[in-house]
Amino acid sequence: GSRRVRAAAMVKFSREASNPTKSCKAMGADLRVHYKNTYETARAIKGMTLRVAQKYLQDVCEKKRCIPFRKYVGTCGRTAQAKEFKLTQGRWPIKSCKAILGLLKNAESNAEFKNLDTDNLKIWHVCVHAAQQGRRRTYRAHGRIGPYCSQPCHVELILQEDEEPVEKPKEEAKPKHFTKKQLARRRLKVGGDQ
């Protein structure tokens, strides 16, 4: 039979940068870290600057700060460290933090290659998808066999240089148009009790 050869296509991101010249990307496919933990870690750093995110993830690895768990909270313990996010539940997923730190480092070197200002980069887009499960088996009672799957994930990051805020030009105030009913109500208010 004929064998199909898969061409190495460009990897599609779920979103494109608003300004590709001022942004850099990094992606990790089939990372052997738990999807749920990585989802919460990625959500925690979205919107942070590169340096702030790196410092935060290193603090989590040292258990000085926690990752707040917002979505996958089933049987997740409570910690006082989650108060900084006005939440009660949080964890310290060190393996996920190290995986994302690696991606941030990769994105940083991509930014340096494009001559971007690494101190001014912001995490503009971060997305975590569940990858295909790694299947193993576990041995159950009465000679049965059950599934024993790992939950890897794909992660994509887009960092973008912070743009200088542009002041919005002031528009001329348009003359207000009132209906007859509104005018009548206004006259009543002005006139008072008659």
Side-chain angles (χ1 to χ4, degrees):
S2 63
R3 284 179 65 207
R4 270 198 203 140
V5 179
R6 221 171 99 200
M10 279 285 288
V11 180
K12 284 274 281 187
F13 276 67
S14 63
R15 196 172 175 191
E16 283 307 315
S18 57
N19 187 356
T21 55
K22 293 277 184 186
S23 64
C24 59
K25 298 176 181 178
M27 184 183 238
D30 289 300
L31 301 178
R32 291 194 64 178
V33 283
H34 293 318
Y35 160 71
K36 290 181 181 181
N37 289 349
T38 312
Y39 171 90
E40 297 289 5
T41 307
R43 190 169 171 184
I45 63 163
K46 189 180 177 184
M48 289 182 179
T49 61
L50 175 65
R51 298 285 174 247
V52 169
Q54 285 173 327
K55 176 81 175 70
Y56 170 57
L57 292 176
Q58 276 154 0
D59 285 348
V60 173
C61 289
E62 292 163 23
K63 302 207 174 175
K64 290 178 184 171
R65 294 168 78 189
C66 78
I67 296 288
F69 272 52
R70 301 167 195 270
K71 184 177 179 182
Y72 299 111
V73 293
T75 69
C76 177
R78 295 177 290 188
T79 174
Q81 289 180 4
K83 283 182 190 172
E84 105 179 71
F85 309 100
K86 294 192 169 66
L87 293 168
T88 54
Q89 289 167 295
R91 278 182 174 170
W92 302 267
I94 291 170
K95 201 171 171 186
S96 293
C97 288
K98 285 182 176 170
I100 289 182
L101 274 168
L103 282 175
L104 287 173
K105 195 173 184 186
N106 180 227
E108 188 180 350
S109 57
N110 293 344
E112 283 166 1
F113 181 74
K114 286 175 90 171
N115 295 322
L116 300 178
D117 177 17
T118 51
D119 293 327
N120 198 24
L121 285 174
K122 202 169 196 177
I123 299 168
W124 180 76
H125 165 77
V126 58
C127 191
V128 180
H129 297 298
Q132 190 176 10
Q133 296 176 352
R135 297 189 69 86
R136 288 185 292 164
R137 47 155 93 175
T138 186
Y139 300 92
R140 313 305 297 257
H142 310 298
R144 290 179 306 135
I145 280 172
Y148 206 73
C149 301
S150 62
Q151 313 288 332
C153 61
H154 308 305
V155 183
E156 51 189 63
L157 279 170
I158 299 177
L159 279 72
Q160 202 160 288
E161 266 189 15
D162 240 358
E163 291 167 4
E164 296 300 313
V166 180
E167 280 189 26
K168 202 173 181 182
K170 287 181 181 174
E171 292 179 15
E172 287 112 39
K174 291 177 184 173
K176 289 184 180 176
H177 295 289
F178 296 108
T179 62
K180 284 184 178 178
K181 207 173 196 179
Q182 286 171 328
L183 287 169
R185 279 201 183 129
R186 282 177 170 257
R187 278 198 295 275
L188 261 174
K189 280 180 189 170
V190 173
D193 295 316
Q194 288 175 343

